[in-house]
Amino acid sequence: MLISVLFAVLGVATSNFVFKSGTAGMGIIILTMLQLQKTKMSKDVWMLVAAFLFSIIGDWFLSNMNGDGMLFVKGIALFFMAHIGYLAYALLNGKIQWALTAMVLVGYLAFFFVLLYPTFTDMVLMMASLIYLLISCFSLGTSVGMKMNGMAKWSYVFGIIMILFSDTIISFKEFMDYHTFDVLITPTYYLAHICIIFSVIKRFENQEMPQSVIS
């Protein structure tokens, strides 16, 4: 976890892609190590490993797009796949909270059609952004419905919130040319990865606790 935090700091401070992908990369390593310690691996955790992998590839596209709209669309598609992983993990550990999801959807759809939609000139980019917005809202609603205790649940929920928050700032930057909050994009994104990793660590600790008490 300390290495993840170090990568997050270096990712904010530099433009080196190794550091920028460091928190997701460490997530893959840590989650795989946790899995290998178990006699029976949890298939849901592999969903998060896949999500981190898609995030790294998506980061590469966005870091190298240099104004190329199609690379931006491809990046969005890869982050969409990452959200599928986050959503699948949460669904395998609970169920979607429909009321909260509906509230978040209403707010973000209003944000999209009132503020963002008028700025689009590329219909492919518009549709990609809309679909990504939808999966992001469903990821949040599903995370809140997870059946976990304490920090294992709420650090994961906070991680998804941070991804949504970071993406919202990106939309201001890319579509509205509004840059006041740009400085928060990468710190919140890296914090999201760290919170998700921490959530899984706490979950594994909670699963092992009864055995420790018995022994």
Side-chain angles (χ1 to χ4, degrees):
M1 287 298 296
L2 289 174
I3 296 173
S4 297
V5 173
L6 177 61
F7 272 126
V9 173
L10 293 172
V12 171
T14 72
S15 58
N16 188 301
F17 182 73
V18 173
F19 297 145
K20 289 170 70 68
S21 61
T23 52
M26 282 305 302
I28 292 173
I29 294 171
I30 292 171
L31 297 183
T32 301
M33 289 173 62
L34 289 172
Q35 286 279 63
L36 294 176
Q37 291 176 13
K38 295 175 67 69
T39 54
K40 183 179 180 181
M41 296 185 183
S42 304
K43 63 180 181 180
D44 54 343
V45 176
W46 293 124
M47 299 296 102
L48 293 182
V49 171
F52 285 140
L53 180 60
F54 282 120
S55 294
I56 291 172
I57 304 171
D59 273 333
W60 187 89
F61 278 107
L62 295 188
S63 298
N64 293 277
M65 64 180 183
N66 295 320
D68 187 331
M70 283 310 299
L71 282 182
F72 190 55
V73 171
K74 290 176 182 177
I76 291 175
L78 287 160
F79 283 116
F80 173 87
M81 295 304 298
H83 265 294
I84 292 291
Y86 299 135
L87 183 100
Y89 175 81
L91 277 178
L92 288 168
N93 289 283
K95 60 182 181 179
I96 190 168
Q97 284 284 345
W98 285 108
L100 175 66
T101 303
M103 291 172 57
V104 175
L105 274 173
V106 169
Y108 267 93
L109 286 174
F111 165 73
F112 182 87
F113 285 106
V114 173
L115 296 178
L116 301 185
Y117 182 79
T119 69
F120 286 105
T121 56
D122 186 327
M123 292 304 294
V124 174
L125 179 58
M126 186 276 291
M127 288 302 301
S129 300
L130 177 58
I131 293 170
Y132 180 77
L133 178 148
L134 295 174
I135 192 67
S136 300
C137 294
F138 278 104
S139 290
L140 177 58
T142 308
S143 70
V144 175
M146 291 195 308
K147 296 178 181 178
M148 292 184 186
N149 297 324
M151 294 298 294
K153 173 178 178 176
W154 294 110
S155 56
Y156 188 87
V157 173
F158 186 72
I160 299 298
I161 290 173
M162 287 296 97
I163 293 175
L164 193 59
F165 181 75
S166 179
D167 291 339
T168 302
I169 300 174
I170 290 174
S171 69
F172 278 115
K173 173 187 174 184
E174 298 294 337
F175 304 133
M176 301 178 64
D177 199 29
Y178 185 80
H179 301 280
T180 301
F181 302 111
D182 286 5
V183 68
L184 297 176
I185 292 174
T186 50
T188 52
Y189 177 63
Y190 300 145
L191 178 59
H193 290 162
I194 291 169
C195 287
I196 290 170
I197 297 167
F198 179 74
S199 167
V200 180
I201 291 173
K202 297 302 293 183
R203 171 193 163 188
F204 275 57
E205 285 180 356
N206 291 340
Q207 288 175 345
E208 293 297 324
M209 191 175 297
Q211 298 177 9
S212 300
V213 172
I214 290 172
S215 62

